[in-house]
Amino acid sequence: MALILLFAMGIVNFAIHRAVSDSGHPLLAQMPWASRRMGYGFGLITEYLMLLACMLMTDRGSGGWVWGYGLYTAANGVAIWLILSRRI
């Protein structure tokens, strides 16, 4: 059950990452040129590796990783809300 929950949170994090990339927020334009060029792909790889690591650790019996990834997902949710509502 924990792996299914992690997978669902992973889908949410990928969707959040895509929403930020497609938002056209002014902060994205302020990123350095190299970061903008590599940023989207590198960010997706990072999201994938974090999800994979949490799923592997949870499969090995470390349940705390689910809570940690849940906090990470919640923080991403707050960040996307702030970005899309133009509060930052």
Side-chain angles (χ1 to χ4, degrees), residues 23-62:
S23 71
H25 195 276
L27 283 176
L28 295 175
Q30 294 177 5
M31 291 175 57
W33 175 81
S35 296
R36 277 184 276 149
R37 185 148 192 235
M38 295 181 352
Y40 184 69
F42 184 72
L44 287 178
I45 290 170
T46 303
E47 290 284 350
Y48 173 75
L49 291 175
M50 286 179 54
L51 175 61
L52 180 64
C54 287
M55 290 179 87
L56 288 173
M57 293 302 289
T58 300
D59 189 48
R60 303 270 190 251
S62 299

Side-chain angles (χ1 to χ4, degrees), residues 1 3 7 12 15 17 19 22 24 41 44-45 47-49 52 60 62-63 68 79-80 84 87:
M1 186 63 168
L3 290 176
F7 185 74
V12 168
H17 187 88
D22 293 345
L44 287 178
I45 290 170
E47 290 284 350
Y48 173 75
L49 291 175
L52 180 64
R60 303 270 190 251
S62 299
I80 189 66
L84 293 181
R87 295 185 190 273

Side-chain angles (χ1 to χ4, degrees), residues 5-21:
L5 181 61
L6 277 172
F7 185 74
M9 287 188 289
I11 291 171
V12 168
N13 281 320
F14 278 102
I16 287 172
H17 187 88
R18 178 65 186 245
V20 169
S21 297

